[in-house]
Amino acid sequence: MNGNIMMGFWHNWPSSPEQGCCGGAFREVILTDIPQEYNVIAIAFMNVIDGQEDPVPDFKPYKCTESEFRQQIEVLHNQGRQVIISLGGAESNIALHTGDELALAMRIKDLIDKFDFDGLDIALDQKAMTAANNKTVIPTALRMVKDYYLSLIHI
């Protein structure tokens, strides 16, 4: 990258009316169709998956297989672009409790490793900020993830 960042969010859900500007629907695109100007793409969102009993947020591509999704990320990497996973979102239903710290840290690490994400965007707002024990569980889990990746750096 040349030091300039143009970041955009890629939505991992089907388009429907009222979600886009002025009540319209957004256009669904595959990762590799995102214009070249966007050199950082945030995948929206790592969240609690509907019907999932596990309270720890996860991510599964809705429109393709995991293998196809990894291939799309590889194409973007080969173009010099970065792809990050975004935790939360405005409609986040994340409600973690004390004791979920390690599970969240491991989920983030596993997703980064599985899809070769370049990092993590934290998009927690509205009710996700105050739900359950999120104020302590999420920061603790994020420190665990940071410490893990820092331990891999050998000086």
Side-chain angles (χ1 to χ4, degrees):
M1 268 193 296
N2 62 8
N4 295 319
I5 294 174
M6 182 150 169
M7 183 178 121
F9 284 87
W10 178 85
H11 295 169
N12 187 47
W13 61 85
S15 178
S16 64
E18 290 92 40
Q19 288 181 327
C21 178
C22 303
F26 63 83
R27 184 174 72 104
E28 292 184 40
V29 297
I30 61 172
L31 288 176
T32 53
D33 286 344
I34 295 172
Q36 291 279 335
E37 294 81 19
Y38 290 91
N39 56 5
V40 177
I41 296 109
I43 304 300
F45 292 102
M46 180 184 175
N47 208 336
V48 176
I49 296 174
D50 289 338
Q52 173 181 312
E53 290 184 30
D54 182 357
V56 178
D58 204 350
F59 172 80
K60 294 185 183 348
Y62 99 92
K63 195 172 181 165
C64 62
T65 67
E66 290 181 356
S67 177
E68 291 167 334
F69 194 73
R70 279 192 305 271
Q71 289 171 352
Q72 292 173 35
I73 290 173
E74 185 177 339
V75 168
L76 295 177
H77 283 159
N78 289 337
Q79 295 170 349
R81 301 200 270 171
Q82 295 184 0
V83 182
I84 61 177
I85 184 71
S86 185
L87 171 65
E91 301 298 320
S92 172
N93 54 355
I94 299 171
L96 297 167
H97 297 279
T98 302
D100 289 333
E101 296 87 350
L102 182 58
L104 177 58
M106 292 304 298
R107 182 70 48 82
I108 292 168
K109 180 201 164 301
D110 291 346
L111 288 171
I112 288 171
D113 293 346
K114 178 192 285 188
F115 294 106
D116 197 19
F117 289 126
D118 297 293
L120 175 71
D121 168 64
I122 301 162
L124 297 171
D125 46 341
Q126 299 176 21
K127 66 183 177 185
M129 295 299 292
T130 57
N133 301 116
N134 287 356
K135 283 185 179 182
T136 57
V137 172
I138 293 172
T140 299
L142 293 175
R143 278 191 294 279
M144 295 167 108
V145 171
K146 177 192 81 165
D147 291 346
Y148 169 77
Y149 284 104
L150 284 176
S151 75
L152 298 178
I153 300 172
H154 301 287
I155 297 176

